[in-house]
Amino acid sequence: MQNRQPGSEARSGKTFQDGNNPLTRAGRGDEPMQEVLISAIGAAQADLGTVQRYDSAEDCLRIVASCGFPDEALNVFRIVRRDTNSTCAATLRKRMRTVVGNIAASYLFVGTSELVALQEVGVAAAHSAPIIVDKGRLWGVLTVHFRQPWEDAEYDPAPMERVAVRFAERLKDRTSEQTFSDRDASRIAHSPVPTKTGPVMRSSAAPIPFAGSMLREHRHVCAFFCSADDEYNTLLPFVCDGLN
């Protein structure tokens, strides 16, 4: 992603037209979070985004701020449960970042109604980060969306996640989003975030020895098995590493 700017033009094809989205207008009490969200979109050089609050009673995510999405798209994702096909639902399940550079080719989305809804609004890639506050509690999920797909090597998730971490720090020991002030949002939004001056700026990652091999910058492990014995023999080195 070279010199991308937030709010870039949508891909060709059918997209929702810009609508009157109440979550992106003033007067809903979400202005501080809106400012943080815009900061995250800028840090990631993304195009759209959402902030979702975790509802522990219903075990779901609910949108509390958004940027760039029309009502039609928000209605699909206004309430996200664990079985929803989305990066935010995956982040809810595993409490870790979920980065998808091409939703059309991702196992999370292929053949789903969620893929159709995102493609209609022009979304091609997404990055969700958990917002973890006091004592490891999940407050919610911050997600930025891109109108163009990209390869993993083209995107550094660190700048956006620094915004998420600063957001979480301001939310610690607070009981609701209403206690999150305009001053808090301003501090987060105006904190320095590294800018990309070249094709990509990636955070350094030292190689990790694992199961007889070295896991370098792209740490993805995949295995296919033909039998139970094949599975056992393949996984045994990983089990031994874990025990050690």
Side-chain angles (χ1 to χ4, degrees), residues 162-193:
R162 290 191 185 100
V163 176
V165 169
R166 291 197 296 268
F167 183 24
E169 289 173 348
R170 293 292 175 184
L171 287 167
K172 285 181 179 178
D173 301 323
R174 299 174 187 272
T175 58
S176 70
E177 68 269 20
Q178 281 76 21
T179 64
F180 186 73
S181 67
D182 291 318
R183 185 177 180 182
D184 292 327
S186 180
R187 287 175 179 174
I188 295 171
H190 295 95
S191 297
V193 175

Side-chain angles (χ1 to χ4, degrees), residues 51-196:
V51 178
Q52 295 160 295
R53 179 76 185 269
Y54 176 59
D55 183 340
S56 58
E58 297 292 334
D59 190 29
C60 67
L61 296 171
R62 298 179 184 273
I63 293 177
V64 293
S66 71
C67 181
F69 285 98
D71 289 336
E72 296 94 325
L74 286 177
N75 287 337
V76 177
F77 298 100
R78 196 172 298 279
I79 297 177
V80 170
R81 304 193 183 277
R82 293 177 183 268
D83 59 351
T84 303
N85 298 101
S86 65
T87 57
C88 51
T91 295
L92 169 62
R93 291 193 300 270
K94 61 186 183 180
R95 295 165 60 90
M96 296 173 61
R97 78 161 65 125
T98 304
V99 179
V100 176
N102 185 356
I103 64 172
S106 169
Y107 74 94
L108 279 175
F109 294 97
V110 171
T112 67
S113 59
E114 290 88 349
L115 173 61
V116 174
L118 288 172
Q119 287 181 325
E120 285 184 340
V121 79
V123 171
H127 171 195
S128 293
I131 301 169
I132 306 294
V133 291
D134 53 296
K135 299 180 180 179
R137 179 172 59 89
L138 179 70
W139 183 92
V141 175
L142 174 64
T143 303
V144 294
H145 305 79
F146 306 79
R147 295 195 184 280
Q148 298 295 331
W150 33 260
E151 300 293 334
D152 288 345
E154 296 179 308
Y155 178 66
D156 181 8
M160 182 279 236
E161 292 187 358
R162 290 191 185 100
V163 176
V165 169
R166 291 197 296 268
F167 183 24
E169 289 173 348
R170 293 292 175 184
L171 287 167
K172 285 181 179 178
D173 301 323
R174 299 174 187 272
T175 58
S176 70
E177 68 269 20
Q178 281 76 21
T179 64
F180 186 73
S181 67
D182 291 318
R183 185 177 180 182
D184 292 327
S186 180
R187 287 175 179 174
I188 295 171
H190 295 95
S191 297
V193 175
T195 56
K196 300 176 184 178

